[in-house]
Amino acid sequence: MTGGTQRLAAVVSGAATALYISAATQASAAADPRSAAIHPVSDQQAMAAWLSRVPVTRDFPDDFAPTLAGHGPAFVIEMTTSPGCVPCGDLWSKLSGLARRYGWQVRALGPEQAAVLSGRMGLPWVGYPVAWVRPRADQARTVPIAIGTDHTANLARNLYLSSKMLTGVRPAVAVRAMAKFTGIVAGPPPNRKPRP
């Protein structure tokens, strides 16, 4: 790992830890901090209910669209997914729309690749989906942009900031500006009672 990548990993790991600690302090004292920051959903209704609580990014810098369009060919968005995962389908749809608009590529990661990335970044494995951005030509420089699904505007903001981090903006500055990870991940499928 290069010095810049190590600093980025340390900043992102610290930001992820801060997110969990912040969510934990908002939950009851007896609650597990990890479970306070993670919201498993198994259907569209539950996902929509959690998403309704997530603030939406309203302000974007002047160079937002040109930056995303200009950097699109240089970067790839990678995300984890699994069959029947409602938030995975939601995140895939939103990232694919952004990718079409700005010329980015989106691809699915296998569970082994995702576990390696999470471990390298010091992120806890929380399930599906998790998304990262990296330069197409460099698998070692990766920035997480989502843990769980999110609003399209927040994802776009995190794509913008990831491209800034990967092209020279100090990681600490960009991570502070990122939309917070929602933790809206796949839960167990709802129990279906067999029909008589």
Side-chain angles (χ1 to χ4, degrees), residues 81-177:
T81 188
S82 67
C85 167
V86 174
C88 296
D90 187 69
L91 183 62
W92 183 267
S93 174
K94 290 171 180 173
L95 289 175
S96 294
L98 289 167
R100 279 190 302 277
R101 180 182 302 163
Y102 297 111
W104 291 57
Q105 177 188 7
V106 182
R107 73 179 198 93
L109 283 180
E112 297 82 17
Q113 291 172 291
V116 167
L117 272 176
S118 290
R120 188 185 315 149
M121 299 301 290
L123 295 173
W125 178 250
V126 295
Y128 300 100
V130 178
W132 295 267
V133 168
R134 70 168 175 84
R136 289 189 191 203
D138 188 351
Q139 294 189 4
R141 295 178 59 224
T142 307
V143 176
I145 60 161
I147 296 177
T149 192
D150 204 337
H151 298 293
T152 302
N154 296 348
L155 295 167
R157 179 185 185 89
N158 287 356
L159 285 176
Y160 168 84
L161 290 167
S162 69
S163 71
K164 289 288 193 179
M165 278 192 274
L166 291 165
T167 57
V169 171
R170 285 193 349 224
V173 173
V175 167
R176 281 196 303 270

